[in-house]
Amino acid sequence: MPDTHSAPAANRLLAALPRKDRERLMAGCEPVELVFAEVLAEQGGRMRHVYFPTESFISLVAPIDGRASLEVGLIGNEGMLGISLILGVEVSPLLAVVQGGGPAWRMDTETFCHELARSSELQRLLQRYLYVEIGQLAQTAACTRFHLLEARLARWLLMTQDRAHSDEFHVTQEFLAYMLGVRRVGVTKAASSLQNNKLISYCRGNIRIVDRHGLEAASCGCYKANKASYAEMMG
Amino acid sequence: MPDTHSAPAANRLLAALPRKDRERLMAGCEPVELVFAEVLAEQGGRMRHVYFPTESFISLVAPIDGRASLEVGLIGNEGMLGISLILGVEVSPLLAVVQGGGPAWRMDTETFCHELARSSELQRLLQRYLYVEIGQLAQTAACTRFHLLEARLARWLLMTQDRAHSDEFHVTQEFLAYMLGVRRVGVTKAASSLQNNKLISYCRGNIRIVDRHGLEAASCGCYKANKASYAEMMG
DNA sequence: CGTGTTGTGTGCGCTAGCGCCCAGACCAGC
DNA sequence: GCTGGTCTGGGCGCTAGCGCACACAACACG
C-alpha cells in the first residue's frame, strides 16, 4: 500500500470531515491503484463503487452521437466519483475514465449509502460538492461554446496540473483532442503556440508546465472561476 | 386567480406527489403570474422563492465574460426553479429568466425547506429531478459543441413547444440568438431554412410549429434523449 | 540494427459562424 | 398619414476549426 494512502488528508473531501465521521468512512474504504484509461463507470451503467482519488484523477466525459465526446468534469483529490448516489441514483450519468493513474480510495455503493445515511456531516459536505460540480458543468458548457481552443487548452492543463500535484504529466495530443472535443491537429496548433510562448514544454505526450503564471494568463477566466467557486463553497 | 391554477396536476412534479404531501406543499404555495423577461434569480444571488411553473416556463442561463451567455436549461411544468435548495444551498448557480409568461406556483424558500424536511417523498422526487437536470446539463454542453445551429434551433423550438403547451408562441430572433449563444443573423438563417422546409412559420417573433415530426427529424438527438431520460427517471 | 508503432507537425481546400453594416418590412402611436 | 421603433433579411470579408492525407521523428521490440 503506497505511502500516500496513509495520510487521511490525501483526499480533501475526506479531510474536511470531522474526525469521527472520517474514520468511520475510511474504515469502509479500500486502497486501489487506478490505471490510465481505465473506465470506472459507463454512461447509464450501474455504479458499484465510489472513488476518492488521492494522487489519481478521473475525467467525466459526455459521449454524444456515438463518436464524439466532451470532457465536462475532472475529479482529483478535491472530489469524488459517484456523487449522484447522494441523490439516491446509482446510475452514472456520465462516462468516467481514469485520466491520471495513481492511488485512490474505493468504497462499494452499499456501504457508502449506509454511511451517508448515518452521517449528516457527510451529507452536508457532499451536497455542497455536488452544488459546485453543477455550477462547473454549466460553466464548462459556456466555456466550450465561447472560448478559443488555446485558452481552453491552457485551462485544461492548469486543472490537470492541480490534480496531478506535479508540473509534469503524460497526455498525448490525441487524447487531449478527445477531451476538448476537437481535432488532434487543433491541439497540435494550440500546444505549439503555448510552447512557443514558453509556457509549456511538450514532447511525445510528456508535458511540463514551464510558466504557470503565463499559462493562467493564457487560459480563460473559467479556471479561476471554478477554483473560486470550489473555495467558496467548500471552505 | 386563473383557472389553470386550480388544477393540482398543472405542475407535473406536484402532481407526482402522494396526495397528502402534495396538499401540504400546495398549502404553502401562492399563485403568481410570471411575465416575460422577468429575472427570477441572479447568478450567485440568494433565492427567496422557488417556482413551480404551470403554463409559464423559465430559462436557466449561464452568463460568461460579462457579455455573452448560453441557455443551459429550460423549466416548464415538468420541473421547478430552485432545485439547488435540496442541496442546502440557497444561492442560485445560474441566471433564471422567464421565457414564457404565465401562471406558476411560488413558495418562499424557508417554507420549502421546511416541507422538504418533512416529506421524504418530496425529497426523493426532487432528487431524481435534479439528477435528470444534471444529465441534461452535460448533454447540453456536448450538444452546443457539436451540433449545427439549425438542429439546435429545432431542438429549442420543440422543447419550448412542450412547455408552452401550444404550437404557437412568441420569441424574437434576437432573443433566440442570446439563448443559443450565436449571432442574430445566424438564427435568421437557420429559421429561414426551417421555414423553407415548411417545418415552422415565423413572423415578427410569432412562431408556429407547422410540422412537428419534421422538426423532430431536423433536430439533434438531444431532444429525444432528454425526454427519454426524464421519462425514465420520473416515471 | 532494422522495423513497426506511436506521437507530432504541415499543407490544402472547405464550412459554420463571426462582426459589421445596411435595407426593407411591419407595427404602433401621434 | 407620417414617423420612429421593432423585427427580419442579406451582403462582405474574415477566422477558427474541420476533414483528409502525408511526412517525419522518436521510441519499443524483435
Side-chain angles (χ1 to χ4, degrees):
Chain A
M1 176 165 128
D3 192 72
T4 41
H5 274 132
S6 53
N11 180 284
R12 287 165 66 188
L13 287 183
L14 296 178
L17 287 171
R19 189 161 174 225
K20 220 171 160 186
D21 298 66
R22 177 173 71 239
E23 282 175 357
R24 201 170 55 221
L25 195 66
M26 291 187 69
C29 285
E30 55 178 335
V32 288
E33 192 77 15
L34 303 182
V35 304
F36 174 74
E38 190 179 351
V39 172
L40 300 181
E42 298 278 0
Q43 186 186 33
R46 185 144 162 264
M47 292 179 290
R48 302 242 179 277
H49 301 93
V50 301
Y51 295 83
F52 298 90
T54 52
E55 297 296 314
S56 51
F57 48 106
I58 301 163
S59 285
L60 295 180
V61 175
I64 194 163
D65 300 332
R67 316 175 50 243
S69 64
L70 180 70
E71 186 191 69
V72 293
L74 192 53
I75 300 171
N77 79 329
E78 88 299 337
M80 69 168 287
L81 173 64
I83 189 68
S84 68
L85 283 168
I86 74 168
L87 300 178
V89 183
E90 59 177 15
V91 174
S92 172
L94 294 165
L95 175 64
V97 188
V98 176
Q99 217 284 296
W105 294 105
R106 184 174 84 170
M107 190 176 209
D108 65 81
T109 54
E110 289 76 19
T111 315
F112 177 73
C113 292
H114 186 244
E115 291 303 324
L116 200 57
R118 280 183 71 178
S119 163
S120 65
E121 268 302 320
L122 181 60
Q123 281 176 38
R124 213 187 75 93
L125 181 74
L126 296 187
Q127 282 174 347
R128 294 183 151 250
Y129 174 63
L130 178 54
Y131 178 87
V132 173
E133 288 282 281
I134 291 171
Q136 303 200 352
L137 219 49
Q139 177 92 6
T140 299
C143 173
T144 305
R145 173 67 192 85
F146 293 108
H147 293 152
L148 296 186
L149 180 52
E150 189 171 328
R152 291 210 290 136
L153 174 59
R155 175 185 168 211
W156 195 96
L157 293 173
L158 289 167
M159 289 176 60
T160 302
Q161 185 187 13
D162 290 345
R163 285 155 183 84
H165 309 115
S166 157
D167 44 349
E168 270 188 85
F169 47 90
H170 187 88
V171 57
T172 68
Q173 299 190 348
E174 186 80 47
F175 189 79
L176 270 171
Y178 179 78
M179 290 295 141
L180 296 170
V182 296
R183 289 181 312 164
R184 201 229 349 120
V185 188
V187 175
T188 302
K189 265 192 184 173
S192 300
S193 169
L194 293 178
Q195 188 160 29
N196 289 339
N197 294 331
K198 309 254 189 302
L199 305 179
I200 63 172
S201 90
Y202 207 128
C203 177
R204 293 185 70 73
N206 298 304
I207 288 197
R208 194 162 52 85
I209 308 296
V210 174
D211 177 359
R212 197 172 204 285
H213 263 73
L215 207 54
E216 283 178 18
S219 82
C220 51
C222 301
Y223 173 69
K224 291 204 171 172
N226 277 4
K227 248 188 143 168
S229 114
Y230 183 92
E232 192 190 343
M233 293 301 296
M234 308 303 287
Chain B
M1 179 162 126
D3 195 70
T4 40
H5 275 132
S6 53
N11 179 284
R12 286 165 67 188
L13 287 183
L14 296 177
L17 287 171
R19 188 159 174 228
K20 221 172 159 185
D21 298 65
R22 178 173 70 239
E23 283 175 356
R24 202 171 54 220
L25 196 65
M26 290 186 69
C29 285
E30 54 178 336
V32 287
E33 192 76 16
L34 303 182
V35 304
F36 175 73
E38 191 180 350
V39 172
L40 300 181
E42 298 278 0
Q43 187 186 34
R46 188 147 159 260
M47 293 179 289
R48 302 240 179 277
H49 302 93
V50 301
Y51 295 83
F52 297 91
T54 52
E55 296 296 313
S56 52
F57 48 106
I58 301 162
S59 283
L60 295 180
V61 174
I64 194 163
D65 300 333
R67 314 175 51 243
S69 64
L70 181 69
E71 187 191 68
V72 293
L74 192 53
I75 301 171
N77 80 329
E78 88 299 337
M80 70 169 286
L81 174 63
I83 189 69
S84 68
L85 283 168
I86 72 168
L87 300 178
V89 183
E90 59 177 15
V91 174
S92 172
L94 293 166
L95 174 65
V97 187
V98 176
Q99 218 282 296
W105 295 104
R106 184 173 84 171
M107 190 175 209
D108 65 82
T109 54
E110 289 76 19
T111 316
F112 177 73
C113 291
H114 186 243
E115 290 303 325
L116 200 58
R118 281 182 71 178
S119 164
S120 66
E121 267 302 321
L122 181 60
Q123 280 177 38
R124 213 188 75 94
L125 182 73
L126 296 187
Q127 283 174 346
R128 294 184 152 250
Y129 175 62
L130 178 55
Y131 178 87
V132 173
E133 288 282 280
I134 291 170
Q136 301 200 352
L137 220 48
Q139 178 92 8
T140 299
C143 173
T144 304
R145 172 71 192 83
F146 292 109
H147 293 152
L148 295 187
L149 181 51
E150 188 171 330
R152 291 209 291 136
L153 174 59
R155 175 186 166 209
W156 195 95
L157 294 173
L158 289 167
M159 287 176 60
T160 301
Q161 185 187 14
D162 290 345
R163 284 155 184 83
H165 309 116
S166 159
D167 44 349
E168 269 187 85
F169 47 91
H170 187 88
V171 58
T172 68
Q173 298 190 350
E174 186 79 46
F175 189 80
L176 270 171
Y178 179 78
M179 290 295 141
L180 295 170
V182 295
R183 288 183 312 163
R184 202 225 351 118
V185 188
V187 175
T188 303
K189 264 193 184 173
S192 302
S193 170
L194 293 179
Q195 189 160 26
N196 290 339
N197 293 332
K198 308 252 188 300
L199 304 179
I200 63 172
S201 89
Y202 206 130
C203 177
R204 293 184 69 72
N206 298 304
I207 288 197
R208 195 161 52 83
I209 308 297
V210 175
D211 176 359
R212 196 170 205 287
H213 263 74
L215 206 54
E216 282 177 18
S219 83
C220 52
C222 301
Y223 173 69
K224 291 204 170 173
N226 277 3
K227 247 188 143 167
S229 113
Y230 184 91
E232 193 190 342
M233 291 302 295
M234 309 301 289

